[in-house]
Amino acid sequence: MTNLQESSAANVASTNLLNLNRVTSSLAVARNQDGRLEAFVIDTDDNIHHAWQITPNGEDSSDWQSLSNQTAKSLTVAFNQDGRLEVFTIGNDKKVYHARQTTVNGKDWSLLKSLSGGIAKSLAVAANKDGRLEVVAIGTDDKVYYTHQTKPNSEEWSKWDDLSRGIADNLTLVPNQDGRLEVFAIGTDNKVYHAWQTTLNSNNWSKWDSLADGTAKSVTVAPNKDGRLEVFVVGTDDKAYHIWQTTINSNNWSKWDNLSRGVAKTLAVTQNPDGRLEAFAISTDKKAYRVAQTEPNGKWGKWQDFTDEISKNLKVSQNQDGRLTIFGVGSGQKLYQAWQTKLNGKDWSKWVLRNIFVREEET
């Protein structure tokens, strides 16, 4: 059986918005401790590159630099308790690898090395309350596994373990307000499931539970200002749906609701500094749209045209000053970026070409 168990053949705390939904794809964005955003891509030759803002909140970025001479098909980025960024990749050999900055805010990185001998199709990363990074992954046998740092900032990781016998083909990992991690997954039956740590920072997980009988193709999660998690999915009918905890840290959930009658292929969600959630979608017409809560923790407005410049693979982050910035892939697999011109605002900059071609996402 091919899975994530260690092979003899050697085969952050609470609801920190910058360490949520770190799910593997060919594009990832993270913020250095000094406030500079850093983007990571897998190019069309399967090579890993990164570039960073010259100054926090700035429009200018460095040239693209090679991160490794090893090829990959997807990646994600998280940050350690000490602020150093850490990249997790799935290589073309399906093995899980990781590398980290050697110094906080630094340009130098360690070499990619195998993460406890893991083999996977996709993975997600989040921080435990105590600062230790936790990785959940879907093995090549469709089972869900997890591993974690043995202590904050450590290069030592636990062995991979089966997470409550789950089976999935899409997942994400987020902390509740109290710090307990919760994983959301699309099962091989297209139903939405979730499981959670039963105690803080522990290896004890609940059994998998169906989330209000929803069916979907992909899932992402963001916390409301009051701490309640809200789950967003692209349904099997290509409509955008959402569901939310009715009380903080609980297993009590609303019913599924069509998100402002939206239709989507891809969804990305984040929180504005004023607490309002904002969602971005690539619709079935290959155009991008956006919609936001009208008030924190509240109802949602109407979808608005955003751009026809990008048509796939959205990633949203925050500048140091709180203004949202979005990266997306347009025609010819070109990477573009735009940002809010004002904090919490509706107006956005023009799209800027970032001079790299991004690997086509696998479906």
Side-chain angles (χ1 to χ4, degrees):
M1 179 176 66
T2 305
N3 58 32
L4 275 166
Q5 302 295 349
E6 191 171 33
S7 168
S8 59
N11 258 326
V12 171
S14 75
T15 52
N16 191 320
L17 292 173
L18 296 175
N19 218 358
L20 291 176
N21 293 317
R22 298 299 184 187
V23 182
T24 46
S25 91
S26 54
L27 168 63
V29 185
R31 200 166 81 194
N32 281 282
Q33 192 178 66
D34 62 10
R36 294 173 304 110
L37 293 178
E38 192 157 346
F40 301 79
V41 304
I42 299 173
D43 69 12
T44 49
D45 292 323
D46 295 346
N47 296 309
I48 305 169
H49 297 272
H50 63 135
W52 51 88
Q53 285 177 319
I54 302 300
T55 57
N57 310 313
E59 298 179 12
D60 296 327
S61 62
S62 70
D63 293 332
W64 291 98
Q65 305 289 329
S66 176
L67 186 65
S68 171
N69 58 1
Q70 185 167 307
T71 60
K73 59 181 181 178
S74 65
L75 59 78
T76 189
V77 186
F79 50 86
N80 283 278
Q81 189 182 61
D82 62 11
R84 286 176 302 140
L85 300 181
E86 188 153 351
V87 171
F88 299 83
T89 76
I90 297 176
N92 286 326
D93 57 3
K94 299 182 181 179
K95 294 180 181 179
V96 181
Y97 297 91
H98 64 133
R100 56 172 56 184
Q101 288 174 319
T102 56
T103 57
V104 177
N105 306 314
K107 298 178 182 179
D108 295 328
W109 287 71
S110 67
L111 296 175
L112 282 171
K113 63 179 182 180
S114 176
L115 183 61
S116 298
I119 300 174
K121 297 194 296 183
S122 68
L123 58 85
V125 187
N128 281 281
K129 180 85 169 182
D130 61 11
R132 292 175 303 115
L133 294 180
E134 187 111 4
V135 176
V136 294
I138 299 172
T140 52
D141 56 2
D142 293 331
K143 293 182 179 180
V144 181
Y145 299 88
Y146 70 101
T147 182
H148 50 80
Q149 288 175 318
T150 55
K151 59 183 180 181
N153 310 312
S154 176
E155 296 186 13
E156 300 297 325
W157 289 72
S158 67
K159 293 183 178 181
W160 291 96
D161 196 10
D162 189 347
L163 200 159
S164 299
R165 301 182 183 274
I167 297 177
D169 58 16
N170 185 281
L171 55 73
T172 192
L173 178 69
V174 296
N176 278 277
Q177 190 192 55
D178 62 9
R180 290 176 305 111
L181 297 181
E182 188 157 354
V183 58
F184 297 84
I186 308 299
T188 51
D189 57 2
N190 293 327
K191 291 184 178 180
V192 185
Y193 296 91
H194 62 137
W196 52 92
Q197 288 175 325
T198 55
T199 54
L200 202 59
N201 305 314
S202 76
N203 296 330
N204 300 318
W205 291 78
S206 72
K207 294 182 179 179
W208 289 95
D209 187 25
S210 176
L211 190 58
D213 296 322
T215 59
K217 296 191 289 186
S218 66
V219 58
T220 189
V221 186
N224 279 280
K225 186 176 182 179
D226 62 11
R228 292 175 303 114
L229 297 182
E230 191 152 347
V231 178
F232 302 81
V233 301
V234 176
T236 50
D237 57 1
D238 289 328
K239 293 181 180 179
Y241 294 92
H242 63 139
I243 191 173
W244 53 92
Q245 288 175 324
T246 55
T247 54
I248 297 168
N249 304 316
S250 76
N251 192 28
N252 299 318
W253 293 80
S254 69
K255 294 181 179 180
W256 287 101
D257 185 38
N258 187 194
L259 181 61
S260 300
R261 299 186 178 182
V263 178
K265 296 194 304 178
T266 302
L267 275 173
V269 185
T270 193
Q271 192 185 101
N272 280 281
D274 63 8
R276 293 175 305 114
L277 295 180
E278 189 156 353
F280 301 83
I282 303 296
S283 189
T284 50
D285 62 4
K286 296 185 179 180
K287 294 181 179 180
Y289 297 83
R290 52 176 286 273
V291 66
Q293 288 176 322
T294 56
E295 60 183 10
N297 312 311
K299 296 181 179 180
W300 289 75
K302 295 181 179 180
W303 288 97
Q304 299 177 346
D305 288 351
F306 190 46
T307 183
D308 56 7
E309 196 77 60
I310 58 173
S311 58
K312 58 188 78 172
N313 200 356
L314 299 172
K315 285 291 182 292
V316 186
S317 189
Q318 280 187 3
N319 279 286
Q320 187 184 50
D321 61 13
R323 290 176 303 119
L324 302 184
T325 186
I326 188 167
F327 292 81
V329 178
S331 62
Q333 295 302 116
K334 296 176 183 178
L335 181 66
Y336 292 87
Q337 182 190 5
W339 51 87
Q340 286 175 321
T341 56
K342 294 182 180 179
L343 199 64
N344 305 311
K346 297 179 180 180
D347 295 329
W348 287 72
S349 70
K350 294 181 179 179
W351 288 90
V352 176
L353 182 64
R354 286 307 184 193
N355 296 323
I356 196 166
F357 298 93
V358 182
R359 187 186 196 272
E360 183 82 38
E361 292 281 90
E362 293 185 353
T363 58

